[in-house]
């Protein structure tokens, strides 16, 4: 099968797969059949977060920018595209989310408090009645692995003892009422953070009365607690109630958190995932001290809790101390569970405290008008390209028109798929519409470069079929170079910009790649097929490839608005170059042979001259006859 047919079949298969995937998604997966629109075109929700400092000091602009970046990372990690997050007034962070705000995104935006690591002094049942109880069961943690028992995962099979029902355990130890203890120095704790000496009668009463079946009430109390106080906290599911010691490490000390596959000691994958985290120097030593104390049995339990916005999102049990501030958390995690925990660790801590000042819906009336005008501008531009193509290339313009239609179908399909994939969540903004309009010009320029290269080859004396092949060899290098520059510009613009500019860069990059797909898999194979028909292959005057109409002395198009003069073009076939012998035309050869025959006859009439050779005369006559036959 010819290569041109293989390319056309590959493109047809790609379009069928794209259309079939969208159809199946709309039918079974609840997909939208069109790309989702961004905030400026569809409207959405605006949330304003107001910063507060615990000591009443002025808000640092650097801290505000850091908080904005962390909130943006939270949202981007959830795949919410085209979200605009800006700092306004020095103390407000304005978050504009396109479309309907789902529950998961709302919770992520409202998690604006801090993250902390606290030792677990005990775990009891979530109900608000009953005796206080202690627990030594739960997950496990070590410098190389930890098992989460706080609801995010199950206990690891490597646990030395099975988990104990926390509701059946009782607290033991002193109640921290020894008046002989000397007052602690400023900045130091009265007891180790993992000691049961923090269990005062007041805290014991709160532990008994707190109801974690509805974690929100206790979450508010936990959010108001000081870092150097023992607290009662709940897990997000309302299934466990924790007694926690003072904060040992702040969440802002986390340097990184990544997901990796869990392996056995022999190196075989278990099918589960772990979260590897590391701390900055400011928190590495404190985390190492805590894990060492819990591992050596100095704490009330061998567990510590990761608290985010007043809720315990994980409570691993220490398996080995962490001497260098690095640890991994395991617990039969799926990849999704591990990724969620890693995102919470990386983006959970904010340098300031925030409260939701307002939340309101944004209308898209202005955006709808702009979208309508943008679409009209795009249609006008497309119509002008088609009119120019028919004026310049006549019937050959059907290649340009069909290529633009294929380009539009692929772009529509790709953007629709990207909009419906939750991990990407792309939304088309007004800047993206501008990118689509600009893409029409880039795509048309690729066609013009190709067609003019083919015409150059025809002017230089090649046949039409050969001109298409040789013209493609020359044009594709120009097209690849041009699209490579566009793609690099799109990548740099996307990486360095924010907001709507990123939407423009994203569409520009996608359409640049699709331009290459269309030119290589459709435009060139289609033209190869057309020139093998009689209309185009014979150079019909309306085909746009008529050698007589193209002429041989017309300046050749060099791409990007440049032309080559006749002197700059390579020599045509038949031109005489230095060091070569010019071929004698037939008319000149006949004249030369006639002149030589006359001279021979004149010499034969001379009595002193040699007689003419009849064989030579016959040979010349035969050669003349042969040339005439040619």
């Amino acid at each position: 099968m010819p290569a041109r047919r293989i390319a056309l079949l590959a493109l047809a298969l790609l379009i069928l797969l794209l259309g079939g995937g969208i159809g199946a998604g709309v039918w079974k997966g609840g997909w939208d059949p069109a790309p989702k629109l961004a905030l400026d075109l569809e409207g959405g929700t605006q949330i304003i977060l107001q910063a507060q400092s615990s000591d009443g000091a002025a808000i640092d602009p650097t801290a505000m920018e850091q908080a904005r970046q962390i909130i943006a990372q939270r949202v981007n990690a959830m795949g919410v595209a085209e979200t605009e997050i800006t700092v306004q007034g020095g103390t407000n962070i304005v978050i504009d989310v396109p479309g309907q705000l789902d529950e998961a995104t709302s919770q992520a935006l409202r998690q604006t408090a801090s993250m902390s690591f606290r030792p677990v002094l005990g775990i009891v049942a979530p109900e608000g009645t009953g005796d206080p109880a202690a627990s030594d069961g739960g997950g496990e943690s070590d410098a190389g692995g930890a098992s989460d028992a706080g609801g995010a995962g199950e206990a690891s099979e490597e646990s030395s003892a099975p988990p104990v029902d926390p509701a059946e355990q009782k607290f033991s130890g002193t109640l921290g009422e020894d008046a002989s203890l000397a007052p602690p120095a400023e900045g130091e704790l009265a007891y180790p953070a993992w000691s049961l000496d923090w269990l005062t009668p007041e805290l014991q009463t709160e532990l008994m009365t707190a109801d974690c079946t509805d974690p929100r009430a206790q979450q508010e109390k936990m959010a108001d607690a000081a870092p150097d106080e023992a607290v009662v906290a709940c897990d997000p599911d309302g299934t466990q109630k924790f007694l926690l010691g003072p904060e040992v490490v702040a969440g802002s000390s986390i340097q990184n958190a990544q997901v990796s596959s869990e392996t056995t000691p022999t190196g075989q994958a278990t099918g589960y995932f772990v979260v590897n985290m590391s701390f900055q120097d400011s928190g590495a030593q404190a985390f190492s001290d805590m894990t060492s104390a819990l591992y050596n049995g100095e704490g009330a339990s061998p567990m510590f809790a990761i608290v985010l916005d007043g809720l315990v999102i994980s409570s691993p049990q220490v398996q080995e101390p962490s001497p260098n501030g690095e640890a991994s958390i395991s617990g039969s995690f799926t990849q999704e569970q591990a990724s969620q925990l890693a995102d919470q660790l990386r983006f959970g801590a904010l340098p300031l405290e925030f409260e939701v000042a307002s939340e309101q819906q944004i209308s898209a009336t202005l955006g709808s008008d702009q979208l309508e005008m943008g679409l009209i501008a795009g249609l006008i531009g497309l119509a002008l390209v088609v009119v120019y193509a028919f004026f310049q290339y006549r019937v050959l313009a059907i290649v340009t028109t069909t290529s633009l239609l294929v380009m539009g179908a692929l772009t529509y399909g790709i953007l629709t798929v990207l909009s419906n994939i939750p991990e990407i969540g792309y939304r088309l903004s007004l800047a993206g519409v501008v990118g689509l309009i600009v893409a029409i010009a880039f795509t048309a320029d690729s066609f013009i470069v190709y067609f003019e290269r083919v015409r150059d080859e025809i002017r230089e004396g090649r046949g039409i079929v050969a001109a298409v092949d040789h013209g493609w060899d020359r044009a594709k290098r120009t097209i690849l170079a041009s699209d490579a520059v566009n793609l690099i510009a799109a990548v740099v613009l996307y990486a360095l910009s924010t907001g709507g500019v990123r939407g423009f860069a994203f569409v520009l990059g996608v359409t640049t790649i699709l331009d290459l797909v269309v030119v290589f898999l459709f435009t060139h194979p289609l033209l190869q097929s057309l020139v093998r028909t009689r209309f185009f292959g014979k150079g019909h005057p309306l085909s746009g490839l008529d050698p007589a109409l193209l002429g041989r002395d017309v300046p050749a198009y060099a791409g990007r608005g440049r032309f080559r003069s006749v002197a700059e073009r390579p020599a045509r076939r038949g031109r005489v170059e230095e060091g070569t012998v010019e071929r004698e035309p037939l008319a000149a050869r006949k004249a030369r042979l006639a002149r030589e025959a006359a001279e021979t006859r004149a010499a034969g009439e001379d009595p002193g001259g040699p007689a003419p050779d009849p064989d030579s005369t016959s040979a010349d006559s035969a050669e003349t006859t042969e040339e005439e036959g040619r």
Side-chain angles (χ1 to χ4, degrees):
M1 182 181 294
R4 62 181 182 277
R5 294 184 180 178
I6 296 176
L8 292 174
L9 288 176
L11 180 64
L13 180 61
L14 176 61
I15 294 176
L16 287 176
L17 290 176
L18 200 59
I22 294 174
V26 172
W27 182 36
K28 293 290 187 180
W31 283 19
D32 292 330
K36 297 180 180 179
L37 301 180
L39 182 70
D40 55 353
L41 299 180
E42 186 185 28
T45 304
Q46 183 181 79
I47 299 177
I48 299 179
L49 303 178
Q50 187 174 18
Q52 296 177 340
S53 59
S54 57
D55 55 359
I59 303 298
D60 184 7
T62 303
M64 286 292 294
E65 176 60 22
Q66 182 182 358
R68 186 199 67 79
Q69 294 177 359
I70 292 176
I71 294 176
Q73 289 171 332
R74 285 183 185 176
V75 177
N76 292 335
M78 300 182 66
V80 181
E82 295 294 338
T83 299
E84 298 181 5
I85 304 176
T86 57
V87 177
Q88 296 183 3
T91 59
N92 295 330
I93 293 182
V94 180
I95 307 170
D96 295 327
V97 183
Q100 188 67 28
L101 189 64
D102 56 61
E103 184 65 23
T105 306
S106 177
Q107 291 298 326
L109 295 177
R110 294 175 185 277
Q111 288 181 352
T112 58
S114 61
M115 174 183 288
S116 62
F117 290 76
R118 295 171 177 260
V120 176
L121 304 182
I123 305 176
V124 298
E127 291 77 11
T129 57
D131 297 330
S135 173
D136 56 2
E140 298 149 3
S141 172
D142 66 303
S147 175
D148 181 14
E154 299 176 357
S156 170
E157 295 179 358
E158 299 176 341
S159 174
S160 59
V164 182
D165 184 358
E168 298 178 356
Q169 299 302 302
K170 302 295 183 181
F171 283 112
S172 61
T174 60
L175 297 181
E177 299 179 43
D178 189 352
S180 63
L181 292 175
E186 183 177 358
E188 295 183 359
L189 298 176
Y191 323 103
W194 42 86
S195 172
L196 267 179
D197 290 338
W198 292 99
L199 183 57
T200 62
E202 294 79 7
L203 187 61
Q204 186 174 6
T205 301
E206 181 183 354
L207 181 65
M208 295 173 60
T209 57
D211 185 7
C212 280
T213 57
D214 182 11
R216 288 176 295 181
Q218 189 63 26
Q219 181 182 9
E220 296 178 1
K221 295 181 180 180
M222 174 66 185
D224 296 334
D228 58 352
E229 295 179 357
V231 293
V232 176
C234 309
D235 70 335
D237 298 329
T239 58
Q240 289 179 312
K241 184 163 48 177
F242 295 83
L243 175 62
L244 306 178
E247 176 184 296
V248 176
V249 182
S252 57
S253 298
I254 296 178
Q255 186 176 39
N256 196 11
Q258 296 179 336
V259 178
S260 63
S261 298
E262 184 180 25
T263 58
T264 64
T266 59
Q268 295 181 347
T270 63
Y272 297 111
F273 294 84
V274 299
V275 178
N276 301 315
M277 61 179 179
S278 59
F279 291 85
Q280 301 173 3
D281 294 340
S282 58
Q285 185 59 49
F287 183 77
S288 176
D289 294 342
M290 179 180 67
T291 55
S292 298
L294 298 182
Y295 177 75
N296 294 325
E298 300 176 14
S301 78
M303 296 185 297
F304 65 89
I306 304 174
V307 184
L308 175 62
D309 296 323
L311 295 176
V312 178
I313 62 172
S314 179
S315 57
Q317 179 177 336
V318 177
Q319 290 179 310
E320 293 181 7
S322 175
N324 55 358
E326 295 181 355
S328 61
I329 303 176
S330 62
S332 301
F333 292 130
T334 64
Q335 185 173 13
E336 181 179 359
Q337 291 171 332
S339 299
Q340 180 183 4
L341 180 58
D343 290 341
Q344 290 173 323
L345 291 172
R346 285 200 307 268
F347 311 135
L350 292 177
L352 296 169
E353 295 181 358
F354 289 85
E355 65 176 9
V356 178
S358 67
E359 178 178 343
Q360 61 183 352
Q361 297 296 317
I362 302 177
S363 173
T365 303
L366 179 60
S368 300
D369 296 338
Q370 293 174 335
L371 176 61
E372 182 180 354
M373 298 303 296
L375 293 177
I376 293 175
L379 292 176
I380 293 175
L382 182 61
L384 290 177
V385 170
V386 172
V387 170
Y388 168 80
F390 275 98
F391 174 79
Q392 179 72 13
Y393 301 110
R394 296 174 174 81
V395 181
L396 187 62
I398 63 174
V399 179
T400 301
T401 305
T402 53
S403 296
L404 288 173
L405 292 177
V406 172
M407 177 74 172
L410 287 176
T411 303
Y412 182 88
I414 292 295
L415 294 183
T416 300
V417 171
L418 295 179
S419 295
N420 286 284
I421 297 178
E423 290 76 11
I424 300 177
Y426 172 77
R427 288 180 177 269
L428 181 63
S429 63
L430 187 62
V433 175
V434 175
L436 293 176
I437 297 174
V438 173
I440 297 176
F442 290 149
T443 305
D445 187 73
S446 298
F447 303 153
I448 293 174
V449 170
Y450 181 25
F451 294 160
E452 291 299 331
R453 295 300 191 199
V454 173
R455 287 183 157 195
D456 282 350
E457 295 294 329
I458 294 176
R459 293 187 184 102
E460 292 169 5
R462 295 189 186 275
I464 295 179
V465 175
V468 169
D469 294 334
H470 286 81
W472 170 248
D473 291 337
R474 298 169 59 187
K476 67 181 179 182
R477 293 192 293 268
T478 303
I479 295 172
L480 286 172
S482 174
D483 284 344
V485 172
N486 290 338
L487 189 59
I488 292 173
V491 171
V492 172
L493 192 61
Y494 185 86
L496 299 181
S497 62
T498 58
V501 181
R502 298 190 74 184
F504 170 80
F506 182 83
V507 173
L508 179 62
V510 170
T511 52
T512 299
I513 296 174
L514 291 180
D515 177 41
L516 293 176
V517 172
V518 171
V519 171
F520 277 80
L521 296 185
F522 183 77
T523 306
H524 175 54
L526 179 61
L527 187 56
Q528 282 183 313
S529 301
L530 289 178
V531 297
R532 284 165 171 78
T533 63
R534 183 176 182 84
F535 182 81
F536 289 93
K538 295 298 183 181
H540 191 279
L542 295 179
S543 67
L545 300 176
D546 183 12
L549 293 178
L550 292 177
R552 293 182 178 272
D553 294 330
V554 179
Y557 183 71
R560 305 304 186 197
R562 297 183 299 106
F563 290 85
R564 292 178 298 158
S565 65
V566 177
E568 294 174 333
R569 302 213 318 262
R572 302 191 194 103
R573 289 179 299 177
R575 288 182 178 176
V576 180
E577 298 181 2
E578 185 179 356
T580 62
V581 178
E582 181 181 3
R583 182 178 179 181
E584 187 179 22
L586 180 59
R589 183 177 180 79
K590 287 181 178 181
R592 178 179 61 80
L593 292 176
R595 185 174 59 255
E596 291 176 354
E599 292 175 355
T600 302
R601 285 194 299 271
E605 294 176 357
D606 187 0
D613 187 356
D615 294 337
S616 174
T617 303
S618 301
D620 289 343
S621 300
E623 185 176 3
T624 302
T625 304
E626 181 181 357
E627 291 291 340
E628 292 176 351
R630 293 179 183 175

